[in-house]
Coordinates of all heavy atoms in Angstrom, one line a residue:
E4 N 110.6 98.2 108.0 CA 111.2 98.2 109.3 C 110.6 97.3 110.3 O 109.5 96.7 110.0 CB 111.2 99.6 109.9 CG 109.8 100.2 110.1 CD 109.9 101.7 110.5 OE1 110.5 102.5 109.8 OE2 109.2 102.1 111.5
L5 N 111.2 97.1 111.5 CA 110.6 96.3 112.5 C 109.2 96.8 112.9 O 108.9 98.0 113.0 CB 111.4 96.3 113.8 CG 112.7 95.4 113.8 CD1 113.6 95.7 115.0 CD2 112.4 93.9 113.7
G6 N 108.2 95.9 112.9 CA 106.8 96.3 113.2 C 106.0 96.8 112.1 O 104.9 97.3 112.3
A7 N 106.6 96.8 110.9 CA 105.9 97.3 109.7 C 104.7 96.5 109.3 O 103.9 97.0 108.5 CB 106.9 97.5 108.6
G8 N 104.7 95.2 109.7 CA 103.5 94.4 109.3 C 103.9 93.2 108.4 O 103.0 92.7 107.8
K9 N 105.1 92.9 108.2 CA 105.5 91.8 107.3 C 105.0 90.5 107.7 O 104.4 89.8 106.9 CB 107.1 91.7 107.3 CG 107.8 93.0 106.7 CD 109.3 92.9 106.7 CE 109.9 92.7 108.0 NZ 109.8 93.9 108.8
T10 N 105.0 90.2 109.0 CA 104.5 88.9 109.5 C 103.0 88.9 109.4 O 102.4 87.9 109.2 CB 105.0 88.6 110.9 OG1 106.4 88.5 110.9 CG2 104.5 87.2 111.4
T11 N 102.4 90.1 109.7 CA 100.9 90.2 109.6 C 100.5 89.9 108.2 O 99.5 89.2 108.0 CB 100.5 91.6 110.0 OG1 100.9 91.8 111.4 CG2 99.0 91.7 109.9
F12 N 101.2 90.4 107.2 CA 100.9 90.1 105.8 C 101.0 88.6 105.5 O 100.1 88.0 104.9 CB 101.8 90.9 104.9 CG 101.6 90.8 103.5 CD1 100.8 91.6 102.7 CD2 102.3 89.7 102.7 CE1 100.6 91.5 101.4 CE2 102.1 89.5 101.4 CZ 101.2 90.4 100.7
A13 N 102.1 88.0 106.0 CA 102.3 86.6 105.7 C 101.2 85.8 106.4 O 100.8 84.8 105.9 CB 103.7 86.2 106.3
R14 N 100.8 86.2 107.6 CA 99.7 85.5 108.2 C 98.4 85.5 107.4 O 97.8 84.4 107.3 CB 99.4 86.1 109.6 CG 98.4 85.4 110.5 CD 98.2 86.1 111.8 NE 99.5 86.2 112.5 CZ 100.1 87.3 112.9 NH1 99.6 88.5 112.5 NH2 101.2 87.3 113.5
G15 N 98.1 86.6 106.9 CA 96.9 86.7 106.0 C 97.1 85.9 104.8 O 96.1 85.2 104.3
F16 N 98.3 85.9 104.2 CA 98.6 85.0 103.1 C 98.4 83.5 103.3 O 97.7 82.9 102.6 CB 100.0 85.3 102.7 CG 100.5 84.7 101.4 CD1 100.6 85.4 100.2 CD2 100.9 83.4 101.3 CE1 101.0 84.9 99.0 CE2 101.3 82.8 100.1 CZ 101.4 83.6 99.0
L17 N 98.9 83.1 104.4 CA 98.8 81.7 104.8 C 97.4 81.2 105.2 O 96.9 80.2 104.8 CB 99.8 81.3 105.9 CG 101.3 81.2 105.5 CD1 102.2 81.4 106.7 CD2 101.5 79.9 104.8
H18 N 96.8 82.1 105.9 CA 95.3 81.7 106.3 C 94.5 81.6 105.1 O 93.5 80.8 105.0 CB 94.9 82.8 107.3 CG 95.4 82.6 108.7 ND1 95.2 83.6 109.7 CD2 96.2 81.6 109.2 CE1 95.8 83.2 110.7 NE2 96.4 82.0 110.5
A19 N 94.7 82.5 104.1 CA 93.9 82.5 102.8 C 94.1 81.2 102.1 O 93.2 80.7 101.3 CB 94.2 83.7 101.9
L20 N 95.2 80.6 102.3 CA 95.5 79.2 101.6 C 95.1 78.0 102.5 O 95.4 76.9 102.1 CB 97.0 79.2 101.2 CG 97.5 80.3 100.2 CD1 99.0 80.1 99.9 CD2 96.6 80.2 99.0
G21 N 94.4 78.3 103.5 CA 93.9 77.2 104.3 C 94.6 76.9 105.6 O 94.1 75.9 106.3
Y22 N 95.7 77.5 105.8 CA 96.4 77.1 107.1 C 95.8 77.9 108.2 O 95.8 79.1 108.3 CB 97.9 77.5 106.9 CG 98.7 77.0 108.2 CD1 99.1 75.6 108.3 CD2 99.0 77.9 109.2 CE1 99.7 75.2 109.4 CE2 99.6 77.4 110.3 CZ 100.0 76.1 110.4 OH 100.7 75.6 111.5
A23 N 95.2 77.1 109.2 CA 94.4 77.7 110.2 C 95.1 78.0 111.5 O 94.6 78.6 112.5 CB 93.2 76.9 110.4
D24 N 96.3 77.4 111.7 CA 97.0 77.5 113.0 C 97.7 78.9 113.1 O 97.7 79.7 112.2 CB 98.0 76.3 113.1 CG 98.3 76.0 114.5 OD1 97.9 76.7 115.4 OD2 98.9 74.9 114.7
K25 N 98.4 79.1 114.2 CA 99.1 80.3 114.5 C 100.3 80.4 113.5 O 101.0 79.5 113.3 CB 99.6 80.3 115.9 CG 100.2 81.6 116.4 CD 100.6 81.5 117.9 CE 101.2 82.9 118.3 NZ 101.6 82.8 119.8
V26 N 100.5 81.7 113.0 CA 101.6 82.0 112.2 C 102.5 83.0 112.9 O 102.1 84.1 113.2 CB 101.2 82.5 110.8 CG1 102.4 83.0 110.0 CG2 100.3 81.5 110.1
C27 N 103.8 82.6 113.1 CA 104.8 83.5 113.8 C 105.9 83.6 112.9 O 106.2 82.8 112.0 CB 105.2 82.9 115.1 SG 103.9 82.7 116.3
S28 N 106.7 84.7 113.0 CA 107.9 84.9 112.3 C 109.0 84.0 112.7 O 109.3 83.9 113.9 CB 108.3 86.4 112.4 OG 109.4 86.6 111.6
P29 N 109.6 83.2 111.8 CA 110.7 82.3 112.2 C 112.0 83.0 112.4 O 113.0 82.7 111.8 CB 110.7 81.3 110.9 CG 110.3 82.2 109.8 CD 109.3 83.1 110.3
T30 N 112.0 83.9 113.3 CA 113.2 84.7 113.5 C 114.5 83.9 113.9 O 115.6 84.2 113.5 CB 112.9 85.7 114.7 OG1 111.8 86.5 114.3 CG2 114.1 86.7 114.8
Y31 N 114.3 82.9 114.7 CA 115.4 82.1 115.2 C 115.7 80.9 114.3 O 116.8 80.4 114.2 CB 115.2 81.7 116.6 CG 115.2 82.9 117.6 CD1 114.0 83.5 118.0 CD2 116.4 83.4 118.0 CE1 113.9 84.5 118.8 CE2 116.3 84.6 118.9 CZ 115.1 85.1 119.3 OH 115.1 86.2 120.1
T32 N 114.7 80.3 113.7 CA 114.9 79.1 112.8 C 115.2 79.5 111.4 O 115.6 78.7 110.6 CB 113.6 78.2 112.9 OG1 112.5 78.9 112.4 CG2 113.4 77.7 114.3
L33 N 115.0 80.8 111.0 CA 115.2 81.4 109.7 C 114.1 80.9 108.7 O 113.8 81.7 107.8 CB 116.6 80.9 109.1 CG 117.8 81.5 109.8 CD1 119.0 81.1 109.1 CD2 117.7 83.0 110.0
V34 N 113.5 79.7 108.8 CA 112.5 79.4 107.9 C 111.5 78.4 108.6 O 111.8 77.6 109.4 CB 113.1 78.6 106.7 CG1 113.8 77.4 107.0 CG2 112.0 78.3 105.6
E35 N 110.2 78.6 108.2 CA 109.2 77.7 108.6 C 108.4 77.2 107.4 O 108.1 78.0 106.5 CB 108.2 78.4 109.6 CG 107.2 77.5 110.2 CD 107.8 76.5 111.2 OE1 108.3 76.9 112.2 OE2 107.8 75.3 110.8
S36 N 108.1 75.9 107.3 CA 107.5 75.4 106.1 C 106.0 75.1 106.5 O 105.7 74.5 107.5 CB 108.1 74.1 105.6 OG 109.5 74.4 105.4
Y37 N 105.1 75.4 105.6 CA 103.7 75.1 105.8 C 103.1 74.4 104.6 O 103.4 74.8 103.4 CB 102.9 76.4 106.0 CG 103.3 77.3 107.1 CD1 104.3 78.2 107.0 CD2 102.7 77.2 108.4 CE1 104.7 79.0 108.0 CE2 103.1 78.0 109.4 CZ 104.1 78.9 109.3 OH 104.5 79.7 110.3
Q38 N 102.3 73.4 104.8 CA 101.6 72.7 103.8 C 100.2 73.3 103.6 O 99.5 73.3 104.5 CB 101.5 71.2 104.0 CG 101.0 70.4 102.9 CD 101.9 70.5 101.6 OE1 103.1 70.5 101.7 NE2 101.3 70.7 100.4
T39 N 100.0 73.8 102.4 CA 98.7 74.5 102.1 C 98.0 73.7 101.0 O 98.5 72.8 100.4 CB 98.9 75.9 101.8 OG1 99.3 76.0 100.4 CG2 99.8 76.6 102.7
R40 N 96.8 74.2 100.7 CA 96.1 73.5 99.6 C 96.6 73.7 98.2 O 96.2 73.1 97.2 CB 94.6 73.9 99.7 CG 94.3 75.3 99.6 CD 92.7 75.5 99.5 NE 92.4 76.9 99.7 CZ 91.7 77.3 100.8 NH1 91.5 76.5 101.8 NH2 91.4 78.6 101.0
V41 N 97.5 74.6 98.1 CA 98.2 74.9 96.8 C 99.6 74.4 96.8 O 100.4 74.6 95.9 CB 98.1 76.3 96.4 CG1 96.7 76.8 96.3 CG2 98.9 77.2 97.3
G42 N 100.0 73.7 97.8 CA 101.3 73.1 98.0 C 102.1 73.8 99.1 O 101.5 74.6 99.9
P43 N 103.4 73.6 99.2 CA 104.2 74.2 100.3 C 104.4 75.7 100.2 O 104.5 76.2 99.1 CB 105.5 73.4 100.3 CG 105.6 73.0 98.8 CD 104.2 72.7 98.4
V44 N 104.4 76.3 101.4 CA 104.8 77.7 101.4 C 105.9 77.8 102.4 O 105.8 77.3 103.6 CB 103.7 78.6 101.9 CG1 104.1 80.1 102.1 CG2 102.5 78.6 100.9
F45 N 107.1 78.4 102.0 CA 108.2 78.5 102.9 C 108.4 80.0 103.3 O 108.6 80.9 102.5 CB 109.5 78.1 102.1 CG 109.4 76.7 101.5 CD1 109.5 76.5 100.1 CD2 109.1 75.6 102.3 CE1 109.3 75.3 99.6 CE2 109.0 74.3 101.7 CZ 109.1 74.2 100.4
H46 N 108.3 80.1 104.6 CA 108.3 81.5 105.2 C 109.6 81.7 105.9 O 109.9 81.1 106.9 CB 107.1 81.6 106.2 CG 107.1 83.0 106.9 ND1 106.4 83.2 108.1 CD2 107.5 84.2 106.5 CE1 106.4 84.4 108.4 NE2 107.1 85.1 107.5
F47 N 110.4 82.6 105.3 CA 111.8 83.0 105.8 C 111.7 84.3 106.6 O 111.0 85.2 106.2 CB 112.8 83.2 104.7 CG 113.1 81.9 103.9 CD1 112.2 81.4 102.9 CD2 114.2 81.2 104.1 CE1 112.5 80.3 102.2 CE2 114.5 80.1 103.4 CZ 113.7 79.6 102.4
D48 N 112.6 84.3 107.6 CA 112.8 85.6 108.3 C 114.3 85.7 108.5 O 114.9 85.0 109.3 CB 112.1 85.7 109.7 CG 112.3 87.0 110.4 OD1 113.3 87.7 110.1 OD2 111.5 87.4 111.2

């Protein structure tokens, strides 16, 4: 449900792969792409 921690989980996931910037849920754009040290990560909302 809303506020369950999905984006918080995704933030920890991306930071562990070396992405150091802010991670927000792409609610309005539907997807945000991040380049990490293991390749691209595509975060959908």
Side-chain angles (χ1 to χ4, degrees):
E4 63 188 50
L5 283 170
K9 298 182 294 294
T10 303
T11 301
F12 180 92
R14 183 179 302 117
F16 188 99
L17 284 158
H18 286 169
L20 297 182
Y22 186 79
D24 208 345
K25 186 177 181 180
V26 175
C27 298
S28 184
T30 305
Y31 293 97
T32 60
L33 295 184
V34 62
E35 189 65 72
S36 302
Y37 300 89
Q38 187 60 43
T39 75
R40 56 173 165 253
V41 298
V44 174
F45 307 119
H46 180 199
F47 292 80
D48 185 336

